[in-house]
Amino acid sequence: QVQLVESGGELVQAGGSLQLSCSASRYISSIEAMGWYRQAPGKQREMVARITDFDTNFGRLAYADSVKGRFTFSRDNAKNTVYLQMNSLKAEDTAVYYCWAYVDFIDYWGHGTQVTVSS
């Protein structure tokens, strides 16, 4: 089991940057997969960035096409925290961003953090 707490969402102008953080209640080095998803109003939740085989040295990182080159997923095992650095933000990046973890065949979600990009 794992609890996830996101932070860092706020209102930002288009072209700006934000860093989201997700703190986990257990050692993230023991988590099989982690990532970030987002859900915009009236839309389905979509994957932004995720790493599978997270608990190995061969983690596979994937980004949504819409964020490639602008967003960067990173981790700090010592702090049990993962990050999403978001640069060159666009109005269409406005959404609630959720941290996700996959442990023992179960999906875990944080409560989300709101990112609003004004154009």
Side-chain angles (χ1 to χ4, degrees), residues 4-24:
L4 305 169
V5 178
E6 305 97 335
S7 62
E10 61 182 67
L11 173 64
V12 63
Q13 287 189 335
S17 298
L18 278 178
Q19 185 181 65
L20 305 183
S21 300
C22 171
S23 296

Side-chain angles (χ1 to χ4, degrees), residues 15-17 38 48-49 61-73 84-90 93:
S17 298
R38 67 186 181 187
V48 176
L61 177 59
Y63 292 100
D65 288 341
S66 59
V67 307
K68 284 181 181 177
R70 299 189 298 122
F71 290 12
T72 303
F73 181 101
L84 184 68
Q85 177 65 42
M86 306 186 294
N87 299 326
S88 302
L89 283 161
K90 305 175 181 179
D93 294 319

Side-chain angles (χ1 to χ4, degrees), residues 7-116:
S7 62
E10 61 182 67
L11 173 64
V12 63
Q13 287 189 335
S17 298
L18 278 178
Q19 185 181 65
L20 305 183
S21 300
C22 171
S23 296
S25 62
R26 62 183 281 173
Y27 294 120
I28 62 172
S29 56
S30 67
I31 295 176
E32 297 161 49
M34 290 194 75
W36 292 92
Y37 285 70
R38 67 186 181 187
Q39 188 165 18
K43 295 187 177 181
Q44 290 188 331
R45 191 173 296 188
E46 62 175 358
M47 187 274 289
V48 176
R50 70 180 183 185
I51 297 179
T52 53
D53 297 326
F54 192 78
D55 53 346
T56 72
N57 291 324
F58 307 99
R60 292 172 290 178
L61 177 59
Y63 292 100
D65 288 341
S66 59
V67 307
K68 284 181 181 177
R70 299 189 298 122
F71 290 12
T72 303
F73 181 101
S74 63
R75 62 194 285 180
D76 186 334
N77 285 4
K79 295 182 178 180
N80 294 320
T81 300
V82 297
Y83 304 93
L84 184 68
Q85 177 65 42
M86 306 186 294
N87 299 326
S88 302
L89 283 161
K90 305 175 181 179
E92 50 263 44
D93 294 319
T94 294
V96 178
Y97 284 71
Y98 296 92
C99 185
W100 163 79
Y102 181 75
V103 181
D104 294 335
F105 307 105
I106 299 174
D107 292 305
Y108 294 91
W109 298 93
H111 288 112
T113 185
Q114 176 71 47
V115 173
T116 303

